[in-house]
Amino acid sequence: MIKRTNTTETFFLASKYSEIASLKQLMTNAELVIQVSNLIHQLQRERGLSNLFLASKGERLGDQLCQQIEESKSSQAEFREQLEQLDIESISLTRSSKLFNNIAFALHVLEGMPELREKIREQSIAAEDSCQAMSRIIAALLAVIFEAADLSDDPEITRALVAMFNFMQCKEYAGQERAWAALGFAAGQFEQEDLERISTLVDIQKNSLDTFREFASETQVAEWNKFETGKEHQELDRLRLVISRIEPGKDVTSEISEVWYEIATVRIDAMQVLEREQAAALISLCEQRVSEADTELKKQHDSLEMLTSLNDPTTTSYTPLLDSSLTGMDSANPGMNTDWVRALYGLVQQQAEGLRNMSDELAEARRALSERKRVERAKGLLMQFHGMSEPQAHRKLQQSAMNQKKSLIEVADILINEFEKLKDKI
């Protein structure tokens, strides 16, 4: 058996092969993101209907809830089918370990859905507990998208993923707002904690939308801005104003619960439409990048074949060190034919420059992703060790940032560092 020699050309082409493989893996991840997005949307609707059903003691929207459960089950089956199509053995396991871990956790928490649904049907669980449980399941699914966004090495794709994740996060907070407000109206009164939670959820949505606007395309931003200035959103804002003026413990008209649910659902459904458009654009962008990389690979093959015909037996790897056009030094042998080496060196330099430019552009999107990840981790620590809800944890971080005159990310980093120090002492 003849041992193959890995040459300069081999590694040069291997760089492009690796890029193509990464892009194809990213396209698979993007398809997974779409399925997760659909499942989250169905679970968000189920959560809201469950709240109304439980808060009304089974008198409202029972039939709609049963129908929605079937929609959720169908979407969950499609999610599992998408997972079956993942070629795990061919995927970079090192980079994907966190993604796989999040998928495993999401599947684990989804296994608890049948029992939760049965408790809701029997009305043996409080609406607040049901809402919290379903929010945890949705959070686990969002974490899958979060890690999928962190696997891209393409700046434009990463920006699209960051925009989409933040928009989906905003949609989830909108879903929680719909669920908690529907619960308050259906129960006939709001507690102080409920009103604070809803107020915080509105604030968090604004933060997520700010990041979305920073990284989304101009078309996507314009489309959402148009909806926010439209009649449907104005109706939602009016009901938000009504909620903000409600006094804790005072009676409210329970019939408003369904009105609120319908108006809030119009907004969430509009978000789902834009979310699907973002997903379609993401898939299209991945396909475009794979096509461009394939074309570039063919060009490089052709260039190397052409350069082979220029190769001079007297040319060696020592030549670049002697050529002033490559090193800035005087040529030791002006008569030497260095066309092949110079041309290959130019190709390598061109590819390296392209990679450097991509790295610079990628850093900005990665920064936003990293900061969001640290804020989410800090919130998770507050929820885990102080028994806070997500809105409470976010408000705590905001208040700490205000009191200390620091940014949210600075306060999050301080909290994480303190936790790491405590963990090391245990």
Side-chain angles (χ1 to χ4, degrees):
M1 180 176 177
I2 300 175
K3 183 178 179 181
R4 180 179 175 181
T5 303
N6 289 325
T7 63
T8 301
E9 299 96 308
T10 303
F11 287 104
F12 176 66
L13 293 175
S15 171
K16 187 58 67 176
Y17 280 123
S18 177
E19 179 186 342
I20 292 172
S22 296
L23 285 169
K24 288 181 176 178
Q25 177 182 332
L26 187 58
M27 190 155 62
T28 300
N29 288 347
E31 291 167 351
L32 176 63
V33 164
I34 292 173
Q35 291 299 336
V36 175
S37 166
N38 292 336
L39 177 55
I40 287 173
H41 185 68
Q42 299 302 335
L43 291 176
Q44 287 169 334
R45 292 179 69 92
E46 183 179 345
R47 176 181 57 194
L49 289 168
S50 297
N51 270 16
L52 286 171
F53 176 77
L54 289 171
S56 66
K57 296 181 170 44
E59 294 180 2
R60 296 180 185 274
L61 304 177
D63 291 341
Q64 286 180 247
L65 176 58
C66 290
Q67 183 179 350
Q68 182 55 49
I69 288 173
E70 293 307 312
E71 294 287 342
S72 297
K73 287 180 178 178
S74 175
S75 189
Q76 185 174 339
E78 291 173 359
F79 169 56
R80 286 185 173 275
E81 185 178 335
Q82 183 66 40
L83 290 179
E84 291 297 324
Q85 295 176 19
L86 286 178
D87 186 2
I88 295 177
E89 293 183 359
S90 66
I91 292 176
S92 172
L93 298 180
T94 302
R95 292 197 62 192
S96 301
S97 60
K98 289 183 179 180
L99 174 62
F100 292 155
N101 183 69
N102 285 353
I103 290 173
F105 182 70
L107 290 174
H108 173 69
V109 295
L110 281 169
E111 290 174 359
M113 282 300 299
E115 183 180 352
L116 177 59
R117 286 173 177 144
E118 183 62 21
K119 287 183 176 180
I120 292 171
R121 187 187 69 80
E122 296 173 346
Q123 300 177 53
S124 60
I125 184 173
E128 293 85 351
D129 295 333
S130 167
C131 189
Q132 294 280 21
M134 294 195 73
S135 294
R136 283 192 287 271
I137 293 170
I138 293 171
L141 290 167
L142 278 169
V144 172
I145 296 175
F146 201 45
E147 287 304 329
D150 206 17
L151 293 178
S152 170
D153 288 327
D154 182 281
E156 193 172 353
I157 292 175
T158 301
R159 290 181 67 87
L161 280 165
V162 170
M164 186 175 179
F165 172 78
N166 279 276
F167 195 76
M168 290 182 69
Q169 187 105 59
C170 175
K171 180 166 163 284
E172 164 53 9
Y173 294 140
Q176 290 186 35
E177 180 193 8
R178 175 180 63 181
W180 286 109
L183 174 58
F185 280 124
Q189 65 177 23
F190 288 79
E191 301 299 332
Q192 180 65 38
E193 181 182 352
D194 299 328
L195 295 170
E196 289 179 355
R197 177 189 284 117
I198 292 168
S199 175
T200 301
L201 286 168
V202 172
D203 290 340
I204 304 176
Q205 288 175 61
K206 292 176 182 176
N207 294 340
S208 296
L209 284 173
D210 285 344
T211 306
F212 159 75
R213 290 188 173 96
E214 181 181 355
F215 291 97
S217 69
E218 291 183 3
T219 303
Q220 292 166 357
V221 172
E223 184 173 343
W224 182 247
N225 288 344
K226 182 179 178 181
F227 176 80
E228 281 198 323
T229 57
K231 180 181 177 181
E232 293 89 351
H233 205 283
Q234 289 174 4
E235 291 178 359
L236 177 74
D237 285 338
R238 279 195 288 270
L239 274 179
R240 279 176 167 176
L241 184 60
V242 169
I243 293 173
S244 70
R245 292 174 176 175
I246 291 175
E247 294 184 31
K250 290 291 184 69
D251 291 343
V252 295
T253 306
S254 60
E255 284 74 15
I256 298 180
S257 61
E258 292 184 37
V259 176
W260 160 261
Y261 184 84
E262 289 176 7
I263 291 176
T265 297
V266 168
R267 178 173 183 255
I268 292 173
D269 286 349
M271 297 182 84
Q272 175 70 352
V273 171
L274 181 52
E275 198 174 281
R276 286 174 177 168
E277 290 176 6
Q278 291 180 75
L282 178 62
I283 292 293
S284 177
L285 182 58
C286 288
E287 291 173 344
Q288 178 186 335
R289 285 290 183 271
V290 171
S291 177
E292 290 172 350
D294 283 334
T295 300
E296 185 65 24
L297 178 63
K298 185 179 183 305
K299 286 182 180 178
Q300 289 177 353
H301 268 298
D302 294 344
S303 296
L304 287 174
E305 286 180 6
M306 180 191 69
L307 293 178
T308 301
S309 66
L310 298 175
N311 192 8
D312 190 300
T314 61
T315 302
T316 70
S317 58
Y318 182 56
T319 304
L321 302 178
L322 305 177
D323 193 292
S324 59
S325 66
L326 301 181
T327 65
M329 298 186 297
D330 292 335
S331 175
N333 189 350
M336 184 175 288
N337 183 355
T338 61
D339 288 346
W340 181 82
V341 175
R342 185 180 293 106
L344 178 59
Y345 184 77
L347 282 175
V348 173
Q349 285 290 87
Q350 182 181 8
Q351 185 157 298
E353 182 64 25
L355 291 173
R356 276 195 297 271
N357 291 337
M358 284 178 61
S359 180
D360 292 340
E361 294 175 30
L362 189 61
E364 181 186 2
R366 281 276 172 83
R367 172 193 55 77
L369 203 59
S370 173
E371 289 184 358
R372 172 53 66 93
K373 187 175 290 190
R374 276 137 58 198
V375 169
E376 292 301 312
R377 188 184 176 202
K379 283 161 57 176
L381 292 172
L382 289 172
M383 293 163 68
Q384 180 179 357
F385 294 103
H386 294 278
M388 295 182 180
S389 65
E390 184 177 6
Q392 287 173 331
H394 189 88
R395 184 178 289 274
K396 176 66 175 176
L397 288 176
Q398 281 185 323
Q399 290 175 340
S400 296
M402 218 179 327
N403 294 338
Q404 299 176 41
K405 295 182 179 179
K406 297 181 182 293
S407 67
L408 198 64
I409 185 61
E410 288 176 321
V411 170
D413 284 339
I414 291 171
L415 180 63
I416 293 170
N417 290 336
E418 288 177 352
F419 170 76
E420 293 295 338
K421 289 177 183 178
L422 287 173
K423 190 172 68 171
D424 292 339
K425 292 179 181 177
I426 298 176

